[in-house]
Amino acid sequence: MPSSMEILPFNACDYRCERCLETERCAVFRMGKERDERNFALGRETEGIEAALRDVGEIFAETTDMLLEKAEEMGIDLDELDDTEQRNPFEEAKNDPLYQRAYEFMTMTRAFLERAEPLITPAAHEFYEDVIWHHTIVPAKTFRAIGSDDEPEIRFDAVNSAAVAIKSLTICIMAFDELASLYSEIALECRELSETAAGIKGSVRERFTTAS
């Protein structure tokens, strides 16, 4: 029987709940509301790039906890592994070249968004907002896919997480292309970011959708 993570769109989520048809039965939606409530109670910003980056960091921590719980359920005691067997999949994920490319893409896009913001008019607001949202999802889901990839019992998590990264990259590419057509001042940078996103998208697809 599928786990609740498979039934609910947990690991296949891009956290954009206002555009989703699954919110009524979705654990991610409930967790997102709880995160917003916690941020509000702590007096932290809930919108904007800084808030998004902070939340990505918290998602990383939640992913680590989830995978550690899975290891415990499977009877794997990481503390009892000898030095030749012990590995830290989370450190490996952070050092993985694909994750580093995804993280660098987020960093470059963040800088671009700050420079581009004064130019954005209502006609392009939707595309700008798409990039704001989805550029942070790319490293988060790439990290999660890499961290889950070597464990057969949770391989579905890697595949679904990679699919969300691909979706977010696709949306970023389309948004960059639209912004390039609307604003000559940032057209070159948009095209470069679009090409970077396309390269990462191809690498994610090759790694996670062609493997058995």
Side-chain angles (χ1 to χ4, degrees), residues 29-113:
F29 180 65
R30 292 193 297 273
M31 290 172 64
K33 288 183 66 177
E34 291 169 2
R35 179 178 287 111
D36 287 344
E37 291 168 359
R38 182 171 68 250
N39 288 338
F40 181 78
L42 293 172
R44 303 196 300 187
E45 291 292 331
T46 59
E47 298 182 356
I49 296 172
E50 291 294 339
L53 291 172
R54 182 199 62 230
D55 288 346
V56 166
E58 292 179 356
I59 291 166
F60 285 170
E62 290 165 6
T63 299
T64 298
D65 290 342
M66 182 275 294
L67 293 175
L68 287 172
E69 288 174 7
K70 273 291 180 183
E72 184 176 353
E73 289 174 10
M74 293 158 56
I76 301 172
D77 189 342
L78 299 179
D79 292 331
E80 290 186 356
L81 295 177
D82 60 37
D83 291 340
T84 60
E85 295 176 323
Q86 191 164 4
R87 58 184 290 268
N88 187 330
F90 317 113
E91 285 301 315
E92 290 176 10
K94 286 197 295 184
N95 293 325
D96 189 285
L98 180 56
Y99 167 69
Q100 291 178 349
R101 287 170 62 195
Y103 189 86
E104 184 180 4
F105 168 74
M106 181 183 71
T107 302
M108 292 189 302
T109 302
R110 177 190 181 193
F112 161 78
L113 289 167

Side-chain angles (χ1 to χ4, degrees), residues 129-142:
E129 287 292 323
D130 279 345
V131 177
I132 284 179
W133 186 267
H134 285 280
H135 86 287
T136 64
I137 300 300
V138 173
K141 288 298 184 177
T142 302

Side-chain angles (χ1 to χ4, degrees), residues 9 16-27 29-30:
R16 205 165 191 182
C17 301
E18 73 276 10
R19 297 192 180 184
C20 182
L21 302 177
E22 304 290 341
T23 53
E24 290 185 2
R25 65 189 190 96
C26 180
F29 180 65
R30 292 193 297 273

Side-chain angles (χ1 to χ4, degrees), residues 177-190:
D177 291 347
E178 291 291 344
L179 291 171
S181 70
L182 291 169
Y183 304 102
S184 59
E185 303 95 319
I186 56 174
L188 178 60
E189 192 170 6
C190 285

